[in-house]
Amino acid sequence: GAVVSQHPSRVICKSGTSVKIECRSLDFQATTMFWYRQFPKQSLMLMATSNEGSKATYEQGVEKDKFLINHASLTLSTLTVTSAHPEDSSFYICSASGDPNEQFFGPGTRLTVL
Amino acid sequence: GIQVEQSPPDLILQEGANSTLRCNFSDSVNNLQWFHQNPWGQLINLFYIPSGTKQNGRLSATTVATERYSLLYISSSQTTDSGVYFCAVEEGAPGTSYGKLTFGQGTILTVHP
């Protein structure tokens, strides 16, 4: 199957700082990537859909000014959590669609905001 | 939006036992995937199965799209099968796709030696 990487795998930051998470499709081109959030012992919730060369589409209730998404190329999407606060602490996972529509997920990034 | 329900929420097995996990969904889908989330959080693709039956080793899956459910079968379970199993669907008619997956709440499987 296709491989998706994420970096960093774990980050601890102070409240008020910004954190950038990278998501790369390593062996295929992904015109669309997705960002999910998972709280402990809960399911995954879609945050936004990232399309190469255009603005991201955010799900209802997700603050687009807090969670900045950039899809600069067919293999790279980034999520920046701006002015992070403790309630933003979570497990963030990206995915990319292969062919035809099967999605492949990155290993996730565990964010802890102190 | 589409609703996805998984059952059972928890399942405890002895090694070697067989099990069936179920996923019900409330509307037409053009994508259905089963995942295993390992203890480190990585989602491992098990099946891409919007319809029909597939098998991969000890695992198999069946989706009956007209009746809006999918089943994941695990045979001769092993301790390494432990983890959370998720079903995820993309709402829509066949041939239309925007890629947005809606996840069920998962089944937590524990396999004891």
Side-chain angles (χ1 to χ4, degrees), chain B:
Chain B
I2 194 167
Q3 304 298 311
V4 183
E5 294 184 0
Q6 290 186 242
S7 60
D10 295 276
L11 185 58
I12 300 175
L13 301 174
Q14 288 296 127
E15 202 168 26
N18 302 327
S19 62
T20 301
L21 282 59
R22 187 177 179 101
C23 173
N24 292 334
F25 42 95
S26 60
D27 210 335
S28 299
V29 299
N30 55 36
N31 179 8
L32 188 146
Q33 292 184 241
W34 283 97
F35 300 94
H36 175 209
Q37 188 169 37
N38 68 20
W40 298 273
Q42 172 77 63
L43 282 167
I44 299 166
N45 288 41
L46 298 178
F47 294 102
Y48 168 71
I49 187 167
S51 64
T53 297
K54 291 185 178 180
Q55 180 157 7
N56 184 3
R58 296 183 295 105
L59 303 182
S60 63
T62 295
T63 298
V64 184
T66 53
E67 297 187 20
R68 299 179 182 171
Y69 74 89
S70 183
L71 302 174
L72 176 68
Y73 305 96
I74 304 175
S75 65
S76 303
S77 58
Q78 301 176 358
T79 56
T80 51
D81 294 332
S82 296
V84 185
Y85 289 80
F86 286 108
C87 165
V89 304
E90 180 190 357
E91 184 177 6
T96 66
S97 175
Y98 299 98
K100 293 170 52 172
L101 288 179
T102 300
F103 280 74
Q105 289 303 305
T107 292
I108 302 174
L109 175 65
T110 304
V111 181
H112 290 303

